[in-house]
Amino acid sequence: MAIHEKSLIEPERLLSEEKLVVDGVDVSGSWNTMITPRYLRDYDDDFEEVIQKYGGGENVHRCWQCGSCTNSCTMYAQNVQFNPRYWIYLTRLGLKDEIVKDKDIIWQCVSCNRCTNICPKDVRPEGVMKALAHWMEDQGITEKTPSSHFDETFWEEIYHTGRIEDASVMMNFFKKTNQPLMQEWLVEFGKRMMKYLPVAQMMKMGLNFVAKPKTKSWGRTGEVLKAYVQEQKEAAHG
Ligand code: SF4
Ligand code: SF4
């Protein structure tokens, strides 16, 4: 049978001969291309379990490969290389190296959750995408993504004050991701706020941004929260 989907096979595994005779039979023409067999030795038996310990990856074992997640995926519509079903399949087989080949696109999941809503097995593919991206960050395979920076900034604010000051989170996020503090959309946003928000409210927001007030009796509670989060991380990843 002729090989129609050569693009799906690694080029080094394709052997082509202009003239090919096998056991005395001339098989030149459309039979002249062979694929070298591939034996998998690079799988990790425990990989599925590792991903299950990351937030969002808990249900990866439920997948029955129906493909609904990929069919409904916002990113797949833009780029057919972005394929949640395929990465879930590789996760279940423990083929880490194959997943790492796609490290530059896995993090592009936009968390629209269309896949999660359609999945008949409650795998929560969006969570698996996040779990894989976090695993790669932890392994030093990829840099921290903007969403990881945002998570960190958000939690730092809570640890420190027990509350969220939106402006402060945004500024710290911009700093961490080397973005300019003054952006066109932000200036426009500020102008509209000044137009529609009561002056007293604006002053209160400005004061909170500068003074960073803490939730009443924060301190000990913050320490307990930090310790709890650390305990959970250690329980999950050792
Ligand atoms: S929709 Fe769910 S069950 Fe189907 S392939 Fe995707 S993750 Fe697996
Ligand atoms: S949440 Fe991510 S993986 Fe799921 S459909 Fe949206 S972009 Fe695709």
Side-chain angles (χ1 to χ4, degrees):
M1 195 174 91
I3 300 168
H4 295 294
E5 292 294 346
K6 286 187 187 169
S7 61
L8 299 176
I9 302 162
E10 295 96 329
E12 62 276 12
R13 292 180 53 227
L14 284 169
L15 300 177
S16 285
E17 300 288 342
E18 274 305 306
K19 181 89 180 148
L20 189 63
V21 177
V22 178
D23 289 340
V25 180
D26 187 343
V27 292
S28 307
S30 58
W31 291 88
N32 71 344
T33 303
M34 302 284 171
I35 309 169
T36 54
R38 183 162 187 244
Y39 303 101
L40 293 178
R41 296 190 187 88
D42 52 351
Y43 59 87
D44 176 350
D45 261 351
D46 299 326
F47 188 57
E48 179 179 83
E49 217 173 291
V50 169
I51 294 303
Q52 282 173 319
K53 287 181 178 171
Y54 281 84
E58 298 87 349
N59 289 353
V60 67
H61 63 287
R62 293 188 181 173
C63 177
W64 61 6
Q65 289 290 301
C66 68
S68 305
C69 50
T70 297
N71 278 341
S72 66
C73 176
T74 304
M75 285 310 292
Y76 178 74
Q78 305 297 322
N79 172 12
V80 291
Q81 302 299 316
F82 188 97
N83 191 332
R85 182 207 61 77
Y86 173 60
W87 292 322
I88 288 168
Y89 177 66
L90 295 178
T91 302
R92 301 218 56 211
L93 290 180
L95 293 172
K96 292 190 295 196
D97 292 348
E98 294 299 312
I99 293 173
V100 170
K101 282 183 189 167
D102 291 332
K103 66 181 167 49
D104 294 332
I105 50 173
I106 286 184
W107 66 269
Q108 291 174 356
C109 167
V110 291
S111 293
C112 62
N113 271 306
R114 291 175 71 173
C115 55
T116 299
N117 288 333
I118 207 163
C119 176
K121 297 284 284 179
D122 192 27
V123 173
R124 286 182 267 136
E126 185 267 350
V128 181
M129 295 306 102
K130 289 288 177 293
L132 287 171
H134 284 146
W135 171 77
M136 284 197 248
E137 285 171 12
D138 286 351
Q139 296 296 310
I141 294 165
T142 52
E143 299 274 314
K144 277 188 184 166
T145 60
S147 67
S148 286
H149 280 302
F150 186 82
D151 284 353
E152 268 181 22
T153 312
F154 192 88
W155 276 105
E156 277 163 12
E157 185 86 5
I158 291 184
Y159 284 149
H160 187 59
T161 62
R163 53 190 281 167
I164 290 299
E165 217 46 72
D166 294 339
S168 171
V169 169
M170 198 162 52
M171 289 299 156
N172 288 331
F173 172 67
F174 285 168
K175 277 186 210 158
K176 278 192 178 189
T177 49
N178 298 320
Q179 296 186 55
L181 298 186
M182 275 301 144
Q183 304 192 22
E184 210 176 301
W185 70 269
L186 189 56
V187 173
E188 185 59 27
F189 182 69
K191 277 188 201 159
R192 290 190 189 196
M193 277 214 316
M194 285 166 74
K195 196 167 166 190
Y196 296 111
L197 267 188
V199 177
Q201 183 69 21
M202 288 287 292
M203 286 176 68
K204 194 174 168 201
M205 282 170 64
L207 193 65
N208 284 349
F209 180 65
V210 177
K212 299 196 184 312
K214 291 187 179 180
T215 296
K216 203 172 167 210
S217 304
W218 195 250
R220 178 75 190 125
T221 314
E223 292 306 315
V224 170
L225 182 63
K226 260 190 216 173
Y228 176 74
V229 171
Q230 187 59 28
E231 225 173 72
Q232 293 296 307
K233 276 189 185 164
E234 281 170 10
H237 307 298

